[in-house]
Amino acid sequence: MSKYLAVQNRLNQILERADFGDRVSRSTDMFFTALVIVNIISITLESVPWIYAAHKSLFTWIEIISVGIFTIEYLCRVWVAPTKISDPRNFASACKSRAKYMLSFSGIVDLLSILPFYLRSFFPFLDLRILRALRLLRILKLSHYNSAMEDLFEAIFEERRSFYAASYLFAILFILSSTLMYFAEYRTHPTGFQSIPDSMYWALITLTTVGYGDITPITVAGKLIAVGSAILGVIVVAIITGIVASSFNAQMERRNIIFEDQVRKALLDGILDYAEKADLERLRKQFGMSKRRADALIDQVQSMRVNK
């Protein structure tokens, strides 16, 4: 049983983001990242008819090999899921942890990355274009090896009250703009603004500062509403963007402080041994900090100790 758990733990280490000095895990991360990129390029080029016709067999083999590898990866991740709980020997807890992974964001992404292939195999009458579009979800598998998505959600969660307030303001502005534009334009406009839902399309692209220009007001009142909506939309979108950006900056500052504190603790004896360097490198990767920034913080702490 101990050997079984040891293999399970090692496989989990290989599949997760590589720790400092773990070359096998690092190589695995690079391999899967490259495979996802190759798949995205392949799926994109498949949509060009003459390229697909000229290299159909190549695209087919890329898909078969990729699905085979991703299927094995998915099954392995299901198997190693119990390593994240305190008692992996407990059968009920192990099943619960596996179900938790399968229903998690990462588990659903991993499943959807292979599901189109099997659906197309068992149900050939399904729309192939929809299945190809679903295969593009494989790009989300990169979140296994990059913390960008986690950082974004964490930043929004940290400032969720401010984010909710700004989103509430946007929703109010969205409804008011749609309603006012409908009453200002529906009698005179030849095609657009025939209902409030029609006006909502215009309001959304105007408030988000996209402004396609395919629907424009023709009355004086409608034009005034459009000007006011555009200005207020810029303000509200800027507020939401500022909240997320500010949260990101605060998050980076907190990470710098935590990393600097760990460096100070590691330098209490005046030197950084291999284990301490490994811990700092692991923390650096966890925080998504650049090597240059981490080295600068280490040098700063070391120079402060020397000056003392």
Side-chain angles (χ1 to χ4, degrees):
M1 188 65 181
S2 59
K3 188 175 181 180
Y4 171 87
L5 293 176
V7 172
Q8 198 176 46
N9 283 321
R10 180 54 184 154
L11 183 57
N12 179 64
Q13 291 171 355
I14 293 173
L15 291 174
E16 294 300 323
R17 291 176 202 158
D19 290 332
F20 178 71
D22 193 338
R23 294 184 178 180
V24 175
S25 182
R26 178 62 178 166
S27 299
T28 303
D29 291 354
M30 294 175 65
F31 170 76
F32 277 109
T33 300
L35 184 61
V36 170
I37 293 173
V38 168
N39 270 257
I40 297 305
I41 295 173
S42 173
I43 295 167
T44 303
L45 293 178
E46 276 187 36
S47 63
V48 183
W50 68 268
I51 295 180
Y52 180 72
H55 305 283
K56 185 176 180 179
S57 60
L58 175 62
F59 289 130
T60 301
W61 277 110
I62 289 175
E63 178 68 5
I64 292 173
I65 294 172
S66 299
V67 168
I69 294 173
F70 288 144
T71 301
I72 294 172
E73 180 208 8
Y74 178 72
L75 295 176
C76 288
R77 288 187 181 276
V78 171
W79 181 58
V80 303
T83 59
K84 298 177 176 63
I85 60 177
S86 58
D87 186 15
R89 290 183 174 85
N90 187 289
F91 180 76
S93 299
C95 291
K96 187 176 179 180
S97 64
R98 290 189 173 106
K100 184 178 179 181
Y101 161 73
M102 294 170 69
L103 296 175
S104 67
F105 175 77
S106 298
I108 292 173
V109 167
D110 290 339
L111 178 61
L112 289 178
S113 68
I114 60 176
L115 193 60
F117 177 85
Y118 296 111
L119 287 176
R120 186 173 57 181
S121 300
F122 291 106
F123 305 101
F125 54 85
L126 292 177
D127 191 340
L128 295 180
R129 290 171 298 178
I130 297 176
L131 294 180
R132 284 174 183 167
L134 283 175
R135 285 159 55 201
L136 285 171
L137 292 175
R138 288 173 189 172
I139 195 172
L140 296 177
K141 288 177 68 65
L142 293 177
S143 59
H144 283 304
Y145 317 108
N146 190 293
S147 62
M149 294 284 287
E150 295 176 10
D151 293 342
L152 174 62
F153 291 137
E154 186 178 342
I156 293 175
F157 182 78
E158 288 293 329
E159 296 292 336
R160 59 190 179 279
R161 292 184 180 277
S162 301
F163 191 80
Y164 292 156
S167 300
Y168 175 65
L169 292 176
F170 183 87
I172 292 175
L173 186 58
F174 173 64
I175 297 297
L176 287 178
S177 297
S178 304
T179 305
L180 292 175
M181 187 59 74
Y182 165 69
F183 286 113
E185 292 285 327
Y186 80 98
R187 289 190 180 91
T188 56
H189 203 284
T191 56
F193 308 110
Q194 298 304 301
S195 66
I196 292 180
D198 285 342
S199 301
M200 285 181 174
Y201 164 75
W202 169 87
L204 183 62
I205 63 175
T206 301
L207 293 174
T208 55
T209 71
V210 177
Y212 292 137
D214 53 342
I215 302 178
T216 55
I218 59 176
T219 65
V220 174
K223 291 178 180 178
L224 291 175
I225 294 170
V227 170
S229 298
I231 294 173
L232 293 174
V234 170
I235 293 172
V236 174
V237 170
I239 290 173
I240 294 175
T241 305
I243 290 170
V244 177
S246 175
S247 180
F248 258 110
N249 290 333
Q251 190 178 86
M252 293 301 105
E253 287 299 320
R254 285 195 298 271
R255 291 180 177 184
N256 286 341
I257 292 172
I258 294 172
F259 187 83
E260 189 174 336
D261 183 60
Q262 289 298 114
V263 173
R264 284 198 178 93
K265 290 179 179 178
L267 284 171
L268 286 175
D269 57 357
I271 59 170
L272 286 176
D273 59 28
Y274 180 82
E276 290 169 338
K277 288 181 179 179
D279 290 338
L280 291 175
E281 180 66 11
R282 191 177 298 109
L283 187 62
R284 180 189 73 80
K285 289 183 177 181
Q286 179 184 341
F287 285 171
M289 188 182 296
S290 68
K291 191 75 167 60
R292 180 179 298 179
R293 177 60 179 164
D295 291 341
L297 285 173
I298 294 173
D299 292 339
Q300 178 182 340
V301 175
Q302 287 177 330
S303 62
M304 290 173 62
R305 286 182 56 86
V306 171
N307 292 334
K308 287 182 179 180

